[in-house]
Each structure stands twice: as C-alpha cells, then as structure tokens.
Amino acid sequence: MEEKMRREEMEVDYLAPFFAQIGNPDNLSASQARQMRNDCLADLKQRLIDKANLIQARFEKETSLLEKKQQWYQEQQLVMTKAEEDEYLAYCSDAMFRIHILEQRLSRHKASAPVKYKRLEEKLLADERLAHFISK
C-alpha cells in the first residue's frame, strides 16, 4: 500500500497546473521557471496552512461543544435521570476521543508539513524542466 502511494506520488506532475497557467510552453524563460517554482511552493504552503486551520477549527468546535455540554450537565445534574446521565457520560467519552484524535492529527500535520515542503523543494530543484534555471 505504502509503495503504491509512493509510486503514484512519483507519477504526479506537480507542475502541470502551473504550466497550464502560462499556456504549456515548450521552453521556459529563467523568470518563468523561478516564478513557477515560487508559485508551486506557495501553493503547497497555503494548502498546508489551510489543512492546519481546518483541523484547528474542528478541534475548537469539538472543545466548545464539550464545554457547553459540561455546563449543561452542571446545571441539570440534580434533576437528571440515570439514562440522561449515562447519555451525557457517553457523549463526553466520544467527544474526548474526537478531541484526542484531532490533537493527534494536528500534531502529525505540524510535524509533516515542513518535510512535505522540503520534499517538494527538492523535487523542483531536480525537475529537468526547471533545474538549469534554479540554483540551490
């Protein structure tokens, strides 16, 4: 499975959308190559930021919902039935699980984002269409 993903990743032409934007020229100028590299890296950076923000927003939403439910419980606990209390405890357990998963996802994303950026940077440096225009 992991090998298949690596193969597919290698087959993806990450520059195709950027070539399409400039009309798929046969030859690039140095400024076009540098701009394409910068645009490609900026696009990845924005996608990584958007993903982190999405995970963070989901985390905050789950946390807020749990806090509201806990506040409700504090107000209602003296008049609750056993079934309502069991339902509340089950909700809290599920919510804590979701929050924990979101924390893990965010942490993993923050750790992998610089690696993904660096990997793309290296691919762009090695790409024969850009290589002779871009120096390390």
Side-chain angles (χ1 to χ4, degrees):
M1 181 71 167
E2 189 175 316
E3 185 177 320
K4 180 183 175 188
M5 287 175 58
R6 276 195 208 132
R7 234 181 295 119
E8 287 175 2
E9 184 179 305
M10 291 176 72
E11 294 172 8
V12 172
D13 184 3
Y14 37 87
L15 290 174
F18 302 98
F19 271 104
Q21 286 177 354
I22 59 171
N24 292 313
D26 291 331
N27 297 312
L28 290 176
S29 68
S31 65
Q32 285 176 317
R34 282 190 298 275
Q35 186 63 47
M36 191 175 292
R37 173 194 175 273
N38 293 341
D39 290 348
C40 189
L41 289 171
D43 183 65
L44 174 64
K45 183 177 179 179
Q46 188 59 51
R47 284 185 285 124
L48 293 171
I49 290 169
D50 291 346
K51 183 174 181 179
N53 289 341
L54 179 65
I55 296 168
Q56 183 68 39
R58 288 178 179 164
F59 171 82
E60 290 170 3
K61 180 181 177 186
E62 283 292 338
T63 302
S64 175
L65 290 172
L66 178 60
E67 288 172 357
K68 287 177 185 174
K69 192 73 162 180
Q70 288 171 333
Q71 179 64 36
W72 171 85
Y73 176 76
Q74 291 298 319
E75 296 167 359
Q76 302 295 319
Q77 73 183 51
L78 297 176
V79 294
M80 291 178 80
T81 65
K82 177 70 174 144
E84 289 172 328
E85 188 171 351
D86 289 344
E87 184 180 318
Y88 165 75
L89 294 173
Y91 173 84
C92 287
S93 178
D94 290 345
M96 292 301 294
F97 175 75
R98 289 188 301 272
I99 290 168
H100 178 69
I101 294 299
L102 290 166
E103 283 175 325
Q104 287 180 330
R105 284 184 184 163
L106 187 57
S107 176
R108 191 172 40 239
H109 178 72
K110 285 180 178 181
S112 69
V115 174
K116 290 177 182 178
Y117 187 88
K118 183 72 174 163
R119 193 178 318 142
L120 179 60
E121 203 170 32
E122 290 168 357
K123 285 180 183 179
L124 293 173
L125 284 171
D127 191 295
E128 61 190 35
R129 297 169 291 181
L130 304 179
H132 60 283
F133 296 114
I134 301 171
S135 62
K136 291 183 182 184

